[in-house]
């Protein structure tokens, strides 16, 4: 008979959840923006089924933006399972944010929810203040809030859309880092969410791809700057490929939603819980010699 799995060994394939392929999305529908995860017809896999924690973040405090759903929710759950106290920042979907809080608490974790708009520097400062007052400090900042809208031509990108995209995806990251940095110490981490399209480009997401390319450059520049400071804070980015989150049915054309993930080597989109371990790695001491890195988690959607 086969040996029983030993603690610490990887889970067998039989115990892993089924992952929807691009073919499974052929009947998927779009949703009005801002889309709610609770209303998606194919639910994102973000509950970390089968995740095996190892106390990698015990005693740490993490603040995660854009964490009401999708990747941010999965990261919040992973961090809580690893022992961190979590604060999640979101902008619009109260129900999704409350569900994230409940899911963290169901797993024995602590979760502070903060409703704020990262485009406002004062709101970013206040979010950090609330987190520090609640938990007594801050060790990990995850910049994950994002906005995107598709347009066939650059001529169709309004000034309002351009400002919202850049102010959410780039200004908001800078404002959050400025607010968090005075509280971070050696060994602490900043993790930005970039995107593979920030390297490949995307003809329907011109302003979004530009903002993501800016995040990649910001990550590298701050890694160089902070590495020379006494605090030695590490700055890295995760670059997802196509991942099934509320942003997809909420912002993409129907024809794209109904074949989502078709272009990657694995023939399917990623799920939020497949991204979370990358954020755990970059937050914990396993990555103590990693800074300025752009960690690709793309399912084989390559930049070249």
């Amino acid at each position: 008979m086969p040996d029983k799995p030993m603690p610490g060994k990887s889970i067998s394939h039989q115990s892993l959840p089924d992952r929807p392929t691009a073919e499974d999305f052929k009947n998927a529908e779009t949703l009005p923006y801002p889309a709610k995860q609770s209303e998606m017809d194919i639910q994102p896999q973000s509950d970390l089924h089968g995740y095996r924690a190892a106390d990698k973040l015990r005693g740490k405090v993490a603040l995660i933006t854009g964490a009401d759903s999708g990747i941010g929710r999965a990261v919040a759950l992973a961090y809580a399972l690893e022992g961190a106290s979590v604060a999640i920042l979101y902008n619009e979907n109260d129900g999704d944010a409350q569900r994230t809080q409940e899911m963290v608490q169901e797993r024995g974790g602590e979760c502070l929810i903060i409703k704020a708009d990262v485009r406002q520097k004062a709101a970013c400062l206040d979010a950090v203040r609330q987190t520090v007052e609640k938990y007594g400090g801050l060790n990990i900042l995850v910049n994950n809030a994002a906005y995107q809208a598709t347009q066939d031509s650059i001529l169709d990108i309004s000034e309002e859309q351009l400002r919202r995209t850049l102010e959410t995806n780039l200004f908001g990251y800078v404002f959050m880092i400025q607010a968090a940095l005075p509280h971070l110490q050696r060994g602490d981490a900043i993790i930005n969410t970039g995107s593979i399209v920030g390297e490949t480009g995307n003809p329907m997401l011109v302003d979004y791809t530009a903002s993501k390319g800016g995040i990649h450059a910001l990550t590298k520049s701050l890694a160089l700057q902070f590495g020379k400071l006494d605090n030695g804070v590490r700055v890295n980015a995760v670059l997802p490929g196509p991942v099934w989150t509320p942003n997809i049915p909420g912002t993409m054309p129907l024809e794209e939603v109904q074949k989502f993930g078709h272009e990657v080597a694995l023939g399917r989109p990623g799920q939020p819980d497949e991204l979370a371990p990358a954020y755990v790695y970059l937050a914990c001491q396993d990555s103590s010699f990693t800074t300025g890195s752009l960690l690709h988690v793309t399912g084989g959607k390559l930049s070249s």
Side-chain angles (χ1 to χ4, degrees):
M1 293 184 64
D3 292 338
K4 293 181 179 180
M6 295 296 292
K9 286 193 175 181
S10 61
I11 319 166
S12 68
H13 290 294
Q14 287 78 11
S15 66
L16 292 172
D18 291 332
R19 305 294 190 185
T21 67
E23 177 68 16
D24 294 321
F25 291 87
K26 62 184 178 182
N27 296 317
E29 298 293 337
T30 58
L31 292 170
Y33 186 87
K36 298 179 175 65
Q37 181 159 325
S38 58
E39 296 180 357
M40 294 172 69
D41 50 1
I42 299 176
Q43 280 290 299
Q45 295 171 345
S46 56
D47 65 355
L48 272 76
H49 169 78
Y51 181 83
R52 306 185 79 171
D55 269 355
K56 291 180 179 292
L57 300 175
R58 180 66 55 189
K60 301 295 186 180
V61 176
L63 172 57
I64 307 161
T65 72
D68 56 319
S69 60
I71 293 171
R73 172 183 287 182
V75 173
L77 293 177
Y79 282 7
L81 288 169
E82 293 290 356
S85 298
V86 174
I88 62 168
L89 187 154
Y90 75 103
N91 188 26
E92 297 187 80
N93 287 329
D94 298 332
D96 278 354
Q98 289 165 5
R99 180 57 188 146
T100 300
Q101 182 185 52
E102 290 168 0
M103 293 173 76
V104 170
Q105 293 171 341
E106 287 165 2
R107 289 155 177 78
E110 291 187 85
C111 183
L112 171 68
I113 56 175
I114 302 169
K115 187 171 186 177
D117 186 342
V118 295
R119 293 176 292 174
Q120 307 299 322
K121 184 173 183 177
C124 296
L125 289 164
D126 186 62
V128 170
R129 178 193 61 77
Q130 289 187 54
T131 303
V132 172
E133 287 185 359
K134 171 71 173 177
Y135 296 126
L138 179 63
N139 307 106
I140 305 156
L141 170 66
V142 177
N143 276 317
N144 179 66
Y147 176 77
Q148 69 176 33
T150 59
Q151 301 291 351
D152 291 331
S153 168
I154 192 171
L155 299 176
D156 297 325
I157 299 174
S158 66
E159 181 177 347
E160 178 185 8
Q161 176 182 320
L162 181 63
R163 289 187 181 280
R164 183 168 184 179
T165 301
L166 295 179
E167 288 177 6
T168 303
N169 302 357
L170 200 52
F171 285 36
Y173 282 35
V174 173
F175 291 157
M176 288 301 305
I177 291 168
Q178 289 175 330
L181 189 60
H183 302 278
L184 302 178
Q185 302 176 20
R186 180 169 295 278
D188 291 342
I190 296 169
I191 306 166
N192 298 321
T193 299
S195 174
I196 190 63
V197 299
E199 295 188 348
T200 64
N202 184 299
M204 292 189 302
L205 294 168
V206 171
D207 50 339
Y208 178 81
T209 59
S211 72
K212 290 298 182 176
I215 290 166
H216 304 168
L218 174 71
T219 298
K220 292 181 177 183
S221 295
L222 291 182
L224 292 170
Q225 184 181 111
F226 295 170
K228 293 179 169 60
L229 300 179
D230 290 340
N231 64 15
V233 173
R234 297 179 297 105
V235 189
N236 294 286
V238 176
L239 275 57
V243 179
W244 185 239
T245 72
N247 242 2
I248 305 308
T251 65
M252 300 295 285
L254 180 62
E255 60 269 21
E256 293 296 322
V257 174
Q258 292 185 338
K259 60 178 182 179
F260 190 60
H262 70 283
E263 75 274 31
V264 308
L266 294 181
R268 64 173 180 84
Q271 295 293 331
D273 63 6
E274 296 181 284
L275 273 291
Y279 290 82
V280 171
Y281 166 69
L282 293 174
C284 76
Q285 285 306 297
D286 290 351
S287 61
S288 59
F289 196 58
T290 303
T291 194
S293 290
L294 307 180
L295 179 54
H296 293 63
V297 189
T298 69
K301 182 177 174 64
L302 305 178
S303 59
S304 61

